[in-house]
Amino acid sequence: MTAPRFVGKLRPTQIVTTFGPGAIVDLPTRSVVVAGLEWWSGGASIYEPRLQNLLGVDELRRPPRPAKGGFVPCLEFPRWQVCGRDGRMLRGQGCPEHRFDAIYPARLIQACPKGHLDEFPWGWWLHRGAQCPGDLRLSAGGRSATLADLVLRCTGCGRERSLAGATSDRLGIRCQGRRPWLRTDDTTCDADPRGMLRGASNVYFPLAISALSIPPWTNPVQEKINPVWNLIADKSELDLRQIHALMFQNFSLDLFLEAVATRRGITAKASPQSLKAEEFRAIASGSAQSDSEFQVSSVQEPGNQVGLVGVRRIDRLREVVALKAFTRIDYPDRGSTVAVNEAPLASVAVDWRPAVENRGEGLFLMFDSAALAKWGATDHPSAIARSVEAAFHEWRTARGLGPATPPTPAAIYLHSLSHLLIRQLSLDSGYSSSSLRERLYSEGDAAGILIYTASSDSDGSLGGLVAQSRPSRLGPLLEQALAAATVCSSDPLCSERQPRGGHLSAAACHACLLIPETSCELGNRFLDRGFLVELQGITSRAFPSWRAPIVASG
């Protein structure tokens, strides 16, 4: 077996959140697709029992590192290449007349909504199925950089055709079910493939799921149990006593047995909602907690905010992010562990998933859920919520998604306020908006917002975020955020926007409420600053007597 040849580098976080198995990576001299998990070698274990249970796997692993003897394999894709000197199209071999550095990967590929990936049908595009032994040449007109300016020509029959329309919704051919990252094909695919640019953003949508480490899973005995859990999971009490005497002498027997019983209590498969419910209880309990991965304490809330019932500063938190699957063309339904047309990461069953762990700090705001529910039943929020529900149903139907519960007015309210705070915190905390993330708690009786920063290095815990939890800072910060929401530079177009079609927000745009996609839990959907303040200049939906439950009282 020949030694692996290293063709490029990626950060571990990129492999989990951007370039997992099935993703195309552009390197300086070639284009490759990351191979399936069964081909990966190495990678240290990461333990987060709640997330492992949610994904139904025994283990989470860091992406392998060459320095540790591991590697992430990849395969050259697309195989079609173009000679930059004369436009000659080549399939998997160098140009016989020119140097290798004159060759570059073809710009177009073929993909389908079920996750399959294939070479663009260059010969079919030009000849429409007819056979011709001539070589293909690709030339640019030099007038623009669009596909319409690229012309494909056959040296045998002289036929020419531009690439205009090559990225349309349907190519008119049948998908062959190719999965080059797995080296296997799916012969049952009946989807219509479409041509796509090799580097298009919708070629690969990762379905990454995260969880925060909370007690009791962060206490020392649980951390020591993690590496050997598979060995002790089904042991009898007598065996456990012997294991305690050999490996867990630093802990009392009762504490060890209690930890094992707690771990065995994870029986039913969790859901993202149940994970969040546990996190909300752990953070909102009000009691100060501190261990190696979780440190939270209560802070006095600013007195001039109606409806804000609790503030927590989280000086230390740990987030584990794992890659479950991916989709192409249509992005996955965030907040769910089941994606539409979910594509596999491996061709065989594997009991692990790639993951990374991030550490940082956070600011948690808890609200009066009863006040939010009562307010949500009033005219303005309920009317907008009905519009969101109709647009949400239309959006899911167009993508072949099953029915789902639309967000409540309280959920839209919390989401909109979270975005306002992130935008304001980016001015006051020392972190950019792309470094801050949100975690929303709006299920059942929960009503809270966690804004946190987490990274794989020390940049996630510089203290600038928790410093904003002091009443002298948090009060003015909330007032400034709400004041900024009253007017948008895109008004009145922004303030009068209604949810419809693929747009699932009301008064929200890049100038007032949207934040980087990586910071938002819901893909910048379900937003309306009109839920927070009375907008200026509204003509189509004025509610003079309306007042939000969480506003500055003075």
Side-chain angles (χ1 to χ4, degrees), residues 357-375:
E357 53 184 349
N358 302 315
R359 289 175 172 82
E361 57 179 332
L363 171 64
F364 179 79
L365 306 180
M366 184 168 57
F367 301 91
D368 186 340
S369 59
L372 278 176
K374 182 179 180 180
W375 165 80

Side-chain angles (χ1 to χ4, degrees), residues 212-236:
L212 301 182
S213 296
I214 58 174
W217 313 109
T218 55
N219 63 44
V221 64
Q222 288 289 352
E223 291 181 348
K224 191 166 183 179
I225 283 176
N226 282 330
V228 296
W229 175 247
N230 289 336
L231 300 177
I232 67 176
D234 57 352
K235 293 295 189 291
S236 65

Side-chain angles (χ1 to χ4, degrees), residues 468-479:
Q468 305 302 317
S469 64
R470 283 179 268 176
S472 60
R473 292 193 177 186
L474 184 58
L477 186 145
L478 283 166
E479 292 175 357

Side-chain angles (χ1 to χ4, degrees), residues 133-379:
D135 295 330
L136 298 179
R137 300 290 177 101
L138 189 65
S139 59
R143 296 179 298 273
S144 68
T146 63
L147 290 177
D149 199 39
L150 293 176
V151 177
L152 186 64
R153 180 173 57 88
C154 176
T155 59
C157 62
R159 180 173 298 191
E160 294 183 355
R161 186 183 182 186
S162 80
L163 296 184
T167 57
S168 61
D169 288 348
R170 289 178 175 81
L171 284 172
I173 59 177
R174 181 178 179 274
C175 179
Q176 300 298 312
R178 306 282 189 223
R179 298 185 296 191
W181 72 99
L182 301 180
R183 297 185 180 179
T184 63
D185 296 336
D186 178 10
T187 58
T188 63
C189 183
D190 57 357
D192 294 321
R194 66 185 67 180
M196 304 181 71
L197 292 173
R198 187 183 71 246
S201 60
N202 60 343
V203 169
Y204 189 84
F205 290 112
L207 177 57
I209 303 174
S210 66
L212 301 182
S213 296
I214 58 174
W217 313 109
T218 55
N219 63 44
V221 64
Q222 288 289 352
E223 291 181 348
K224 191 166 183 179
I225 283 176
N226 282 330
V228 296
W229 175 247
N230 289 336
L231 300 177
I232 67 176
D234 57 352
K235 293 295 189 291
S236 65
E237 183 174 345
L238 179 61
D239 292 334
L240 290 176
R241 290 176 179 271
Q242 295 175 345
I243 291 172
H244 171 264
L246 293 172
M247 302 175 59
F248 293 85
Q249 308 94 324
N250 295 337
F251 307 99
S252 69
L253 177 62
D254 290 341
L255 185 61
F256 171 67
L257 294 177
E258 180 184 356
V260 172
T262 301
R263 183 67 179 266
R264 285 176 174 172
I266 304 181
T267 53
K269 192 171 182 179
S271 67
Q273 291 74 25
S274 64
L275 259 65
K276 282 192 170 184
E278 294 172 3
E279 294 171 7
F280 180 82
R281 289 193 295 268
I283 299 173
S285 63
S287 58
Q289 304 178 60
S290 179
D291 56 37
S292 61
E293 303 291 3
F294 187 76
Q295 181 177 338
V296 61
S297 57
S298 297
V299 180
Q300 179 183 357
E301 61 269 15
N304 64 336
Q305 300 297 323
V306 180
L308 183 61
V309 296
V311 178
R312 307 285 185 268
R313 59 177 287 164
I314 306 177
D315 293 274
R316 186 184 302 125
L317 63 78
R318 172 180 180 258
E319 177 193 37
V320 178
V321 184
L323 179 64
K324 181 181 185 290
F326 70 91
T327 64
R328 302 196 197 278
I329 314 295
D330 292 324
Y331 57 87
D333 187 14
R334 298 195 185 188
S336 171
T337 57
V338 180
V340 178
N341 295 323
E342 182 179 301
L345 302 179
S347 59
V348 298
V350 293
D351 61 356
W352 65 277
R353 291 292 183 273
V356 291
E357 53 184 349
N358 302 315
R359 289 175 172 82
E361 57 179 332
L363 171 64
F364 179 79
L365 306 180
M366 184 168 57
F367 301 91
D368 186 340
S369 59
L372 278 176
K374 182 179 180 180
W375 165 80
T378 58
D379 291 342

